[in-house]
Amino acid sequence: MNQQLQTILDFIQQNESITAEKKMALAKLLKKVNSDLEISEFKLERTEKVKRTTAILLEETIEELEQKRKAIEETNAALSRSLEELKATQSQLIQSEKMASLGELTAGIAHEIQNPLNFVNNFSEVSNELIDEMKEEFEKGDKEEAFAIADDIKQNLEKIHHHGKRADAIVKGMLQHSRSNSGTKEPTDINELADEYLRLAYHGLRAKDKSFNATLETDFDEGIGKIHVVPQDIGRVLLNLINNAFYAVNEKSSFINLSSEALAKLEASEDNYEPTVWVSTKKDKNQVTINVRDNGNGIPKKVVDKIFQPFFTTKPTGQGTGLGLSLSYDIVKAHGGEITVKSKAGEGTTITIALPA
Amino acid sequence: MKAKSIKGNSTEDIKRALEQSMADGFCPTIGIVFISIKQDRKAICDILHHEGIEVLGATSCGEFIDGHQSEGGAAILLMELNPDHFTILFEPVDEERLQEISRAFAMKALKKFKRPAFILCTTGLSKKAEMLDGETVVKSIEEIVGPQVNICGGMAGDDWSFTGTYVFTHEKETDIGIAALVLDEDHILVQGMAISGWKPLGISRTITKSEGKRIITIDGMPALDMYLKYLGESYDDGKGKYDFFEDVAVHYPFLVERDSGTSMMVTPMSVDKTEQALICDVVVKQGSKLSFTMPPDFDFVEQVLEKASELKNVTRKDADALLVFSCAGRVSALGPLANLENEGLAEVWKAPMAGFYTYGEYGRALNEGQEFHSTTNSWVTLKEK
């Protein structure tokens, strides 16, 4: 017991004027006071101890958290730098993809330009000869014949002009295709665009691989009219889809990447395989759909979900960037449209683009 | 069921107290004995046995009954339990076969009663300074009897001498083993709760290296260095300004996350200076999450009593007897409040109470599963139906 309280208790016990009953009651009260005092002393002591320990623990924890915060900040900065680099690389890759598809077009474009150039050359040569003939008629004084020849020359010049314009349009299209930034939307004849890119892609492939052959089938809905799109962007999408379709039918006709089952089925088939690519358009209510269909090997189920992911490709290393379909997806989405795929193993693939009319 | 608690600082004291308690015709069938290693436990067991009272006992780090707390004495809860409704099981163990022995122990109980409940007393530290793995004992019993099983109890102490702890009956005694008063829950209502009150402090850390009960590194730092650094202390071998266990470790145990997602308190018992490791009271898994803790607030006693009152009000059941198993560390950390807590529980239940300060507790925390604990106050009430 506390010394002072003990003294009081002793005093009470020794005091004869206090009754035994009161002594007991007072002793009980003093014990309670002693107990309360002990508890208060303990609380005080422990509060001091816990306060000191807690302060140190918190101080150390705060210091450690501060270090961790700094480390996280540094990591964040490094991540931001990596993200910037990644974005820059991505832009470069997108541009590379455009240039790569342009490369694929080169042979087709050369073929397409060759035709108007042939016309220009032939008609200018013929016109040259006609001018000589016209001069002769003038010298002979046969003005009537000279005027008739002049009319022929005029017609030739009109044809030269027409084919010159055609070559000009092809070159302009090529330049637009390679531009970094997307162009603006303009009224575009989707059928014409699809037809042009189908032919460009086909001749491009043919120029690279003489043995390549495929039947091209088109079914254009003439009632579509013009719709507002960025022609070079949609052209890029069409080129991509058509090239993929040609790649698929070429694989199948070359017996590449076929499962043994599919190969046996193909070999046992009495019909000869005819590689075919269909491009069709249709106007339906408020939207225009473009279907690019092939009768190639089809896309395996496990791959279908991934084909629109960036950098995903089933082509051998060096033959595909894995960005074609990803960019196509982005372009169609940017037009407020949808791109969907239906594929059956061994039978072929249909990719459908739906654009607002 | 009638029950009385008695206490004494010698065999004679106990003999006298027992006689007094039986003077009114009270005829106990079972005595639960919590006793200092300084007392003659064999002599006390003989006195009880002579009166036809069966004995379950554990050595202590301080013992108490309602209205009295002692160090170096003995406290006994005497109960007039129908002998058909209880049995006493006792089993010495060796650590390697602990799981197997604990399962067999549970099987014996299950053979005796369809719904057995356990007042479990196990040894804590053996004479060879091996700490019994309480977690394995609880989980093995639970596995056999089922998750609904009620287990409450404590690990024997040795007055902080670390010389060896004991559990015993009248005939048997061991420094490494398990003993239990197994109750038939079809006839005896058993309800209780284990509450710690220590709270996590600071950030969550990871035990990056451990072997058995040794924590070697925390967050890659030597465990002892980190522990002392965060508590603002330096290691002193006990010869200098403080004793590692009593002055530091017992106040600042760790909160370690179990595989099941629940947390358990882990107390560093000693240190390994060569490896700068902390040697704990239980096995600690490498990779576990760990937090430092701080002792309970001063209002914690009120919270313990409030929870007990809530349980009493919800179940609308009173008690014939109360047993309290309070961690020995609570005496250092809570001082006189530890006794207030025990007294308060006796007051809430208004039943004869006995208990002791333990090296570990068994019980069920509120709304949680059956676990082995450290730092808790685990109490249980008994009522014959």
Side-chain angles (χ1 to χ4, degrees):
Chain A
M1 186 178 266
N2 174 282
Q3 208 179 333
Q4 284 80 5
L5 290 175
Q6 188 63 51
T7 309
I8 297 169
L9 186 61
D10 292 344
F11 175 79
I12 292 166
Q13 297 293 0
Q14 286 158 17
N15 195 320
E16 290 172 1
S17 63
I18 304 172
T19 63
E21 201 175 289
K22 279 187 178 168
K23 278 182 185 174
M24 255 177 72
L26 287 169
K28 200 175 169 187
L29 283 174
L30 282 173
K31 275 184 188 166
K32 176 76 175 75
V33 171
N34 186 56
S35 165
D36 289 348
L37 193 63
E38 271 178 11
I39 289 170
S40 299
E41 279 170 355
F42 168 78
K43 283 182 176 176
L44 198 64
E45 192 192 329
R46 213 197 76 179
T47 303
E48 281 305 311
K49 195 173 178 181
V50 168
K51 199 169 74 181
R52 185 175 64 89
T53 312
T54 311
I56 294 165
L57 208 152
L58 283 176
E59 222 169 80
E60 293 288 349
T61 308
I62 288 165
E63 193 187 316
E64 197 178 342
L65 285 173
E66 182 62 22
Q67 281 169 6
K68 284 188 177 170
R69 191 187 61 80
K70 278 183 187 161
I72 288 169
E73 260 178 19
E74 280 166 22
T75 312
N76 270 349
L79 279 173
S80 296
R81 282 196 298 277
S82 299
L83 191 65
E84 287 306 314
E85 283 167 19
L86 197 67
K87 278 181 183 167
T89 311
Q90 203 175 17
S91 305
Q92 283 172 3
L93 273 170
I94 291 169
Q95 188 57 20
S96 303
E97 169 65 21
K98 286 176 188 169
M99 296 315 285
S101 62
L102 185 67
E104 280 170 13
L105 277 180
T106 310
I109 290 163
H111 180 271
E112 287 296 290
I113 293 177
Q114 193 59 48
N115 275 343
L117 276 180
N118 285 343
F119 279 112
V120 169
N121 286 338
N122 292 341
F123 283 115
S124 57
E125 204 175 305
V126 170
S127 299
N128 207 19
E129 285 168 10
L130 284 174
I131 287 169
D132 288 343
E133 280 177 28
M134 187 173 70
K135 277 181 184 171
E136 278 172 24
E137 295 302 329
F138 270 126
E139 277 168 10
K140 283 181 199 168
D142 189 347
K143 275 172 81 176
E144 197 179 328
E145 185 60 26
F147 275 119
I149 292 171
D151 285 343
D152 288 345
I153 292 169
K154 186 174 167 60
Q155 276 180 9
N156 282 357
L157 286 174
E158 277 167 3
K159 282 175 184 165
I160 288 168
H161 181 68
H162 170 76
H163 289 288
K165 290 277 270 184
R166 165 83 185 132
D168 181 58
I170 292 167
V171 171
K172 273 185 180 154
M174 184 176 75
L175 288 173
Q176 272 182 336
H177 185 91
S178 64
R179 263 185 211 153
S180 324
N181 298 323
S182 290
T184 49
K185 283 183 183 174
E186 53 190 79
T188 306
D189 185 331
I190 287 292
N191 292 343
E192 201 176 283
L193 195 70
D195 192 48
E196 184 179 355
Y197 276 92
L198 179 64
R199 280 185 293 107
L200 285 174
Y202 180 70
H203 291 301
L205 268 174
R206 286 271 296 166
K208 275 201 284 189
D209 177 7
K210 291 278 179 224
S211 67
F212 172 73
N213 207 354
T215 305
L216 311 182
E217 298 273 355
T218 56
D219 179 12
F220 296 134
D221 182 347
E222 296 303 332
I224 291 176
K226 289 187 175 181
I227 62 168
H228 273 78
V229 294
V230 182
Q232 63 270 33
D233 282 352
I234 295 298
R236 196 174 293 140
V237 174
L238 288 168
L239 179 68
N240 207 288
L241 302 184
I242 293 164
N243 270 337
N244 285 348
F246 283 142
Y247 187 88
V249 295
N250 194 34
E251 266 197 330
K252 189 166 176 177
S253 60
S254 316
F255 295 87
I256 298 168
N257 280 348
L258 281 186
S259 66
S260 51
E261 200 178 278
L263 191 62
K265 200 175 164 186
L266 198 65
E267 281 172 349
S269 167
E270 287 179 10
D271 303 325
N272 287 329
Y273 173 61
E274 198 175 321
T276 309
V277 171
W278 292 264
V279 178
S280 61
T281 57
K282 193 167 172 39
K283 185 170 181 183
D284 185 20
K285 289 180 186 170
N286 295 327
Q287 67 174 18
V288 168
T289 54
I290 309 164
N291 280 304
V292 178
R293 180 160 75 91
D294 67 69
N295 61 349
N297 290 331
I299 307 167
K301 265 187 181 174
K302 59 180 179 184
V303 169
V304 166
D305 292 341
K306 299 179 189 167
I307 61 169
F308 294 115
Q309 288 173 10
F311 308 110
F312 179 81
T313 181
T314 55
K315 290 177 184 168
T317 314
Q319 286 192 30
T321 59
L323 283 171
L325 281 176
S326 159
L327 285 174
S328 299
Y329 183 88
D330 291 344
I331 290 168
V332 173
K333 281 280 170 194
H335 278 79
E338 292 286 336
I339 183 164
T340 51
V341 57
K342 274 186 193 167
S343 188
K344 202 167 180 189
E347 290 186 16
T349 302
T350 304
I351 295 194
T352 303
I353 305 165
L355 296 169
Chain B
M1 178 243 297
K2 199 172 175 186
K4 288 186 182 183
S5 54
I6 60 169
K7 47 96 179 165
N9 280 322
S10 65
T11 308
E12 290 69 36
D13 280 355
I14 293 296
K15 192 167 188 287
R16 211 174 302 123
L18 180 64
E19 283 166 1
Q20 279 174 10
S21 75
M22 294 173 72
D24 63 354
F26 175 56
C27 191
T29 51
I30 170 80
I32 301 177
V33 181
F34 304 130
I35 189 166
S36 160
I37 53 167
K38 293 164 195 157
Q39 293 291 329
D40 185 349
R41 49 188 179 271
K42 178 67 186 134
I44 289 175
C45 283
D46 283 343
I47 291 169
L48 294 167
H49 182 67
H50 185 258
E51 298 295 339
I53 303 168
E54 288 203 57
V55 176
L56 170 73
T59 52
S60 61
C61 279
E63 49 290 320
F64 45 86
I65 61 167
D66 31 326
H68 178 82
Q69 177 173 304
S70 66
E71 278 175 43
I76 303 173
L77 182 70
L78 299 164
M79 292 184 284
E80 260 182 6
L81 263 181
N82 181 337
D84 292 341
H85 300 162
F86 77 90
T87 188
I88 289 172
L89 294 180
F90 179 94
E91 209 65 57
V93 302
D94 64 75
E95 277 283 344
E96 284 173 13
R97 292 179 55 237
L98 183 60
Q99 190 181 44
E100 183 191 330
I101 291 168
S102 303
R103 282 176 179 163
F105 190 85
M107 289 294 283
K108 277 187 197 170
L110 207 53
K111 224 170 182 177
K112 179 85 180 164
F113 302 120
K114 205 166 75 186
R115 289 177 60 223
F118 295 77
I119 305 300
L120 182 67
C121 290
T122 70
T123 52
L125 206 67
S126 73
K127 282 191 282 190
K128 289 180 186 167
E130 288 165 353
M131 195 81 183
L132 192 90
D133 179 2
E135 184 102 359
T136 299
V137 177
V138 172
K139 291 298 158 196
S140 304
I141 295 175
E142 194 183 36
E143 196 185 315
I144 298 297
V145 184
Q148 77 293 340
V149 64
N150 277 317
I151 306 170
C152 186
M155 265 188 175
D158 57 6
D159 295 325
W160 293 112
S161 66
F162 301 123
T163 52
T165 64
Y166 300 87
V167 292
F168 54 89
T169 62
H170 175 252
E171 289 82 17
K172 298 170 193 168
E173 172 172 299
T174 179
D175 71 320
I176 175 160
I178 52 182
L181 168 65
V182 182
L183 301 164
D184 181 356
E185 273 208 78
D186 282 341
H187 293 99
I188 297 163
L189 178 73
V190 177
Q191 52 182 359
M193 200 183 291
I195 306 183
S196 165
W198 263 258
K199 288 180 287 192
L201 182 67
I203 56 175
S204 171
R205 299 172 187 282
T206 306
I207 298 170
T208 39
K209 190 177 177 192
S210 72
E211 281 169 9
K213 294 173 182 171
R214 295 149 61 85
I215 301 179
I216 300 165
T217 60
I218 300 170
D219 283 352
M221 267 181 77
L224 177 61
D225 279 358
M226 171 168 271
Y227 185 63
L228 294 176
K229 178 186 162 196
Y230 276 85
L231 298 176
E233 303 280 1
S234 59
Y235 186 71
D236 193 281
D237 261 338
K239 291 172 194 161
K241 58 176 180 165
Y242 73 93
D243 176 86
F244 172 76
F245 179 71
E246 278 199 44
D247 290 343
V248 183
V250 83
H251 297 272
Y252 298 100
F254 297 123
L255 199 63
V256 177
E257 209 171 282
R258 291 187 178 98
D259 287 346
S260 61
T262 57
S263 298
M264 66 172 171
M265 301 299 302
V266 173
T267 310
M269 303 294 285
S270 57
V271 300
D272 174 351
K273 282 184 81 180
T274 51
E275 273 202 291
Q276 294 290 296
L278 295 166
I279 302 165
C280 301
D281 54 344
V282 291
V283 172
V284 189
K285 274 192 184 169
Q286 192 166 301
S288 303
K289 291 285 173 199
L290 163 153
S291 301
F292 286 97
T293 62
M294 60 183 296
D297 290 333
F298 293 132
D299 64 354
F300 187 71
V301 175
E302 284 84 61
Q303 290 176 35
V304 169
L305 302 182
E306 203 177 300
K307 291 272 184 294
S309 301
E310 275 174 23
L311 182 69
K312 191 179 177 188
N313 293 336
V314 168
T315 58
R316 294 174 179 276
K317 302 282 182 194
D318 53 3
D320 294 334
L322 170 69
L323 285 162
V324 177
F325 305 91
S326 181
C327 178
R330 292 180 90 80
V331 183
S332 300
L334 299 175
L337 298 177
N339 189 38
L340 271 190
E341 188 175 73
N342 302 330
E343 290 290 339
L345 284 168
E347 186 55 35
V348 167
W349 288 103
K350 299 193 187 317
M353 177 269 278
F356 76 105
Y357 290 111
T358 67
Y359 278 166
E361 307 77 50
Y362 302 98
R364 196 187 285 276
L366 191 63
N367 302 325
E368 285 185 21
Q370 199 70 61
E371 300 285 3
F372 169 65
H373 302 278
S374 180
T375 76
T376 61
N377 179 310
S378 181
W379 56 265
V380 61
T381 60
L382 308 178
K383 181 166 180 61
E384 211 159 22
K385 293 176 184 171

